[in-house]
Amino acid sequence: MAPAPHRILRVKRETHDTFTLTLEVPEEAGGEFAPGQFSMLYVFGVGELPISISGDPGVPGQLVYTVRAVGKATGSLVKLRAGDWVGVRGPFGSAWPVEAARGKDVLIVAGGIGLAPLRSVIYHVLNNRDAYGRLTILYGARSPKDLLYRVDFRSWSRQMDTHALTTVDHGDLRWRGRVGVVTTLFRYVRLVPERTIAMLCGPEIMMRYVCAEIEKNHQLPASQIHLTMERNMKCAAGFCGHCQFGPYFICKDGPVFSYERMKPLLGIYEL
Amino acid sequence: MSSREEGLSGLVDLPSIGQLISLLERQGWRVIGPTVRDGAIVYERVESIDDLPRGWTEEQEAGRYRLKRRGDDALFGYNLGPQSWKKYLHPPEVRLLEARRENGLLKILKQSDPPPRYAFLGVRACELAAIAVQDRVLVGDRFADPIYEARRKNLFLIAVNCAQAAPTCFCTSMGTGPRARQGYDLAITEILEGERHEFLLEAGSEQGASVLGQLRARQAGPADSEIAEKMAEHAASQIHRRIETEGLHDLLYANWEHPRWDDAAGRCLSCGNCTMVCPTCFCTNVEDVSDVRGEHAERWRRWDSCYTLSFSYIHGGSVRRSVRSRYRQWLTHKLASWIDQFGTSGCVGCGRCITWCPVGIDLTAEVRAIRDTPTRAPKRRENRNGES
Ligand SMILES: Cc1cc2nc3c(=O)[nH]c(=O)nc-3n(C[C@H](O)[C@H](O)[C@H](O)COP(=O)(O)OP(=O)(O)OC[C@H]3O[C@@H](n4cnc5c(N)ncnc54)[C@H](O)[C@@H]3O)c2cc1C
Ligand code: SF4
Ligand code: SF4
Ligand code: FES
């Protein structure tokens, strides 16, 4: 229930508003997590907020989070420096179906900060390269200055049997890459529906378009598509009620769900 | 659990109820019971029989509550006030933690003051059911809330059987009352017949039997339990409010877009009264504060309501911006999604939300309206959740 103090080892600036914090895990805390899980990070006196673990599950002793400063708590979180302390509760929630995906092709579709919770699954697939088939990563950001993990991305795209594509909604003068929403990247990929597991994270509206695209145009059954949901969270333990989405508590039933379970609810206005 | 002791019963007189209170106090319990305050019967600490609402009852209707004299000496001759026992088990405000910043280090200080051992005197059957619902939510799921758990585990529960029902009651629809059947240490049936004023006490646990054994109780006979059964039947016969629960879950799930939600939203003030008075509503908000020097910080947890805009706020805006969506969330949660989440309805039929709604919205009527004109073709509107 009470957060455990963790020391910040490094803060890396990813973009103008997004930073990656690496925390040292105290011995007694363990630090194990499954890709897709999140923690509640406590900033002294400011608040506690849900942040996905974006680090490499194969590297023990540290917890990595990528935070986009959008308000009060995230704003003060990214102002912290190496040596500062944050409180950590967790990890909480469901994980990406990395076991079910064994032996299959993996399709990753991310929008904006949504790449953060998916990065840990990308690490997992690359750490266990032989256990998985083709890895496809489709990533859309608002503009070139919002692109996360540029170094990682270049290295992913050079891996064997890996296809990593980026697009931006709006380019700038120097941008030579693709322009358009993330669904436009689907014209470059061919999926084998029987052996593909898709994992999606991004704004809800984007995920709905992507789900429709891969279900209709690529014949992927809804049960093979997984996505993460985001709702207000105060406790992460099923007590505060804030994260409810129809019958589900996003904090303990999710945040990762199959599209099969989310589909009947996603279209309901203001649910 | 039907040892001979638990089946123990006895008859006591009026002063013995006072003795029961002092006996429990002496044995380390803090007795909370009904008392008159500010024109309502509320649950507060009671130290003697004089604190109980002797001779009082209430009038209840949708949007209306008024205390009234009964013309007799009944101690438990009312039904339900605005408060429920969740006030003690799931406190409206509690400090979750204290943190200190010392020499650049973050220290989280554990909360340790143990809660009092509560004895609740006068728990109605629907309220026992409500406590069972909150048990399921706050300790019976994946995580246990230590605050609730600590208060719950040392509880002494004294139920009171209803001899009458309020017009807002519908426990019979929800299968929770009017007679307490389980989940208590002692159950009281107040017998008022002509000159006779006695209390039938029935033990429901070993702890209850032991307390009963310490009171000067007269042997109760089959005729006494028959009277208790008759009184429960009489109370049940006064209940006219009803919710048809058969198929209710599927009905609400099929009617997310029913026009009745707009109609209710036109009346609902989104004040959240219904969630505050409801004995099963459990939602909370968490707030962090620190001193000006930034050395000492605290986290507080307070009751929250799904009727507030901030409840569903995520970056980019609240998910449930319309009153329509918030009323729908509350009602659908109570009567339908609660069943998926916890295997039980979130409503025990106490009627408080009806009485304490300033505009008299009655969930049983809202459900009936939806049942009478179900729609199956949802009107789709573009969802803006997280669109930013
Ligand atoms: C499971 C999950 C994983 C997440 N992972 C990440 C991540 O890896 N990186 C990242 O940058 N962001 C992530 N978020 C979003 C992040 O939690 C919010 O951006 C953050 O809570 C906003 O807080 P704030 O105080 O800075 O914003 P403000 O706008 O000042 O918010 C005020 C309060 O509203 C609530 N709130 C606002 N936005 C959200 C939100 N989107 N989700 C939940 N509560 C919110 C919080 O309680 C917050 O304290 C995640 C959210 C969830 C639910
Ligand atoms: S929803 Fe209304 S009637 Fe049902 S338990 Fe809550 S307050 Fe009582
Ligand atoms: S239904 Fe009544 S009590 Fe509940 S929020 Fe609306 S106006 Fe308030
Ligand atoms: S975050 Fe509190 S119930 Fe899910």
Side-chain angles (χ1 to χ4, degrees):
Chain A
M1 188 85 161
H6 283 54
R7 203 166 60 94
I8 300 177
L9 290 174
R10 281 186 296 284
V11 179
K12 176 171 185 274
R13 185 188 149 108
E14 301 284 355
T15 72
H16 60 106
D17 64 357
T18 305
F19 296 77
T20 294
L21 285 74
T22 303
L23 311 188
E24 179 181 42
V25 176
E27 237 161 71
E28 64 284 5
E32 287 87 20
F33 71 97
Q37 289 194 296
F38 66 97
S39 306
M40 293 299 277
L41 298 186
Y42 170 62
V43 190
F44 183 84
V46 179
E48 200 182 40
L49 62 166
I51 299 290
S52 303
I53 303 169
S54 68
D56 185 341
V59 179
Q62 61 177 45
L63 280 169
V64 179
Y65 303 92
T66 303
V67 183
R68 182 170 161 229
V70 296
K72 199 172 105 208
T74 47
S76 36
L77 194 53
V78 304
K79 283 204 200 86
L80 298 177
R81 293 288 160 257
D84 287 342
W85 293 77
V86 289
V88 180
R89 288 196 299 133
F92 295 109
S94 59
W96 296 111
V98 289
E99 284 312 311
R102 272 185 175 264
K104 305 226 165 76
D105 293 347
V106 175
L107 168 69
I108 303 274
V109 188
I113 186 74
L115 187 55
L118 285 164
R119 188 171 71 161
S120 55
V121 85
I122 297 172
Y123 282 133
H124 177 87
V125 170
L126 295 176
N127 292 346
N128 302 274
R129 198 64 197 88
D130 296 342
Y132 297 92
R134 189 172 181 73
L135 173 64
T136 305
I137 304 166
L138 307 180
Y139 174 42
R142 251 188 274 195
S143 71
K145 72 178 187 350
D146 294 308
L147 288 167
L148 289 179
Y149 309 142
R150 286 162 187 258
V151 178
D152 288 326
F153 218 89
R154 270 196 296 278
S155 97
W156 297 337
S157 57
R158 284 195 296 264
Q159 303 278 332
M160 241 180 38
D161 213 10
T162 301
H163 198 39
L165 299 176
T166 310
T167 180
V168 296
D169 296 349
H170 311 283
D172 60 21
L173 288 175
R174 275 174 303 162
W175 179 250
R176 296 278 171 270
R178 279 170 282 261
V179 175
V181 294
V182 76
T183 40
T184 59
L185 294 177
F186 278 91
R187 77 175 84 116
Y188 306 104
V189 301
R190 191 171 303 130
L191 305 176
V192 186
E194 313 76 80
R195 55 151 216 257
T196 300
I197 297 280
M199 306 182 198
L200 280 50
C201 186
E204 213 164 294
I205 182 100
M206 163 226 138
M207 293 194 292
R208 281 173 47 219
Y209 280 113
V210 171
C211 285
E213 165 77 23
I214 46 190
E215 199 185 23
K216 291 207 189 74
N217 299 339
H218 297 265
Q219 278 78 48
L220 216 65
S223 60
Q224 285 165 231
I225 306 172
H226 300 265
L227 47 88
T228 60
M229 294 295 298
E230 183 176 350
R231 280 296 178 272
N232 187 300
M233 285 189 187
K234 291 294 174 194
C235 72
F239 304 141
C240 77
H242 282 246
C243 68
Q244 286 178 78
F245 184 58
Y248 302 111
F249 285 85
I250 304 292
C251 69
K252 60 179 186 184
D253 303 320
V256 178
F257 291 96
S258 76
Y259 179 49
E260 197 175 23
R261 288 165 87 192
M262 288 297 105
K263 201 177 168 181
L265 301 171
L266 274 172
I268 301 169
Y269 183 66
E270 294 190 334
L271 181 61
Chain B
M1 285 250 299
S2 65
S3 82
R4 225 179 51 227
E5 302 216 306
E6 284 162 19
L8 205 72
S9 64
L11 284 166
V12 300
D13 57 6
L14 188 81
S16 301
I17 298 298
Q19 281 153 22
L20 172 63
I21 296 171
S22 36
L23 182 85
L24 289 167
E25 287 277 343
R26 269 202 311 280
Q27 296 181 0
W29 270 290
R30 180 177 299 178
V31 183
I32 308 292
T35 196
V36 173
R37 178 167 304 174
D38 302 329
I41 293 168
V42 295
Y43 298 145
E44 290 288 346
R45 182 160 193 176
V46 291
E47 285 169 302
S48 80
I49 200 162
D50 300 329
D51 293 331
L52 300 179
R54 190 167 175 171
W56 285 104
T57 189
E58 80 276 82
E59 273 175 9
Q60 299 200 48
E61 247 319 325
R64 205 180 118 85
Y65 177 97
R66 185 156 303 159
L67 283 185
K68 206 173 72 175
R69 279 281 173 197
R70 281 176 60 98
D72 62 18
D73 267 346
L75 293 183
F76 303 105
Y78 58 91
N79 282 99
L80 294 163
Q83 299 178 342
S84 70
W85 306 96
K86 81 173 177 184
K87 176 179 164 194
Y88 296 95
L89 294 176
H90 182 47
E93 183 173 83
V94 54
R95 190 172 61 194
L96 289 182
L97 67 87
E98 258 188 286
R100 229 170 253 294
R101 193 148 53 184
E102 282 170 11
N103 312 322
L105 288 180
L106 174 64
K107 285 221 168 85
I108 309 277
L109 314 172
K110 290 251 160 63
Q111 288 314 114
S112 56
D113 32 330
R117 284 165 70 206
Y118 287 120
F120 292 170
L121 169 63
V123 185
R124 303 285 168 181
C126 63
E127 299 185 298
L128 284 174
I131 292 172
V133 169
Q134 286 214 325
D135 286 350
R136 177 66 186 86
V137 174
L138 295 172
V139 294
D141 215 74
R142 193 158 332 150
F143 302 96
D145 171 26
I147 293 155
Y148 183 89
E149 197 174 31
R151 284 157 177 75
R152 177 70 176 96
K153 84 171 175 252
N154 291 318
L155 198 57
F156 193 95
L157 276 167
I158 307 170
V160 164
N161 287 315
C162 295
Q164 69 197 23
T168 40
C169 294
F170 59 102
C171 59
T172 40
S173 293
M174 308 315 292
T176 59
R179 184 149 192 212
R181 303 275 173 201
Q182 59 189 23
Y184 55 80
D185 295 296
L186 278 178
I188 300 180
T189 304
E190 184 170 24
I191 302 174
L192 265 167
E193 279 182 330
E195 289 299 291
R196 185 178 178 199
H197 192 181
E198 278 191 305
F199 300 82
L200 172 68
L201 301 188
E202 294 165 290
S205 71
E206 266 175 48
Q207 176 171 256
S210 143
V211 169
L212 177 55
Q214 295 166 64
L215 291 171
R216 237 170 307 147
R218 196 160 69 75
Q219 177 115 39
D224 300 307
S225 19
E226 213 167 283
I227 293 177
E229 215 45 67
K230 282 257 158 59
M231 280 169 50
E233 275 168 31
H234 172 70
S237 74
Q238 291 183 331
I239 296 176
H240 301 300
R241 261 200 170 71
R242 227 183 107 64
I243 278 192
E244 174 58 77
T245 54
E246 181 72 37
L248 183 53
H249 171 277
D250 294 356
L251 177 82
L252 291 176
Y253 272 34
N255 284 286
W256 296 109
E257 310 296 344
H258 197 282
R260 186 70 183 191
W261 301 122
D262 295 298
D263 187 273
R267 287 170 282 136
C268 175
L269 311 174
S270 199
C271 67
N273 267 13
C274 46
T275 54
M276 297 293 115
V277 297
C278 178
T280 67
C281 274
F282 58 86
C283 290
T284 49
N285 196 13
V286 171
E287 209 181 307
D288 285 274
V289 289
S290 67
D291 64 353
V292 267
R293 298 169 63 196
E295 288 168 357
H296 177 247
E298 297 187 348
R299 171 174 304 152
W300 286 81
R301 182 174 89 178
R302 296 190 177 85
W303 285 356
D304 201 359
S305 170
C306 55
Y307 282 92
T308 66
L309 254 182
S310 59
F311 190 86
S312 66
Y313 178 80
I314 54 176
H315 173 65
S318 294
V319 173
R320 295 184 205 106
R321 283 168 306 152
S322 66
V323 175
R324 169 187 182 275
S325 69
R326 284 177 260 149
Y327 186 77
R328 182 182 68 183
Q329 165 62 23
W330 181 72
L331 193 80
T332 311
H333 185 215
K334 283 281 126 176
L335 299 172
S337 43
W338 207 296
I339 299 172
D340 296 311
Q341 295 167 350
F342 303 109
T344 161
S345 172
C347 175
V348 298
C350 74
R352 283 189 180 89
C353 56
I354 305 172
T355 300
W356 295 94
C357 174
V359 294
I361 295 174
D362 172 354
L363 77 169
T364 66
E366 300 311 311
V367 166
R368 199 167 314 113
I370 291 172
R371 205 181 269 287
D372 289 348
T373 53
T375 56
R376 277 183 185 274
K379 175 174 65 173
R380 292 267 159 167
R381 286 193 239 175
E382 218 17 59
N383 210 333
R384 71 171 287 287
N385 305 346
E387 203 170 285
S388 72

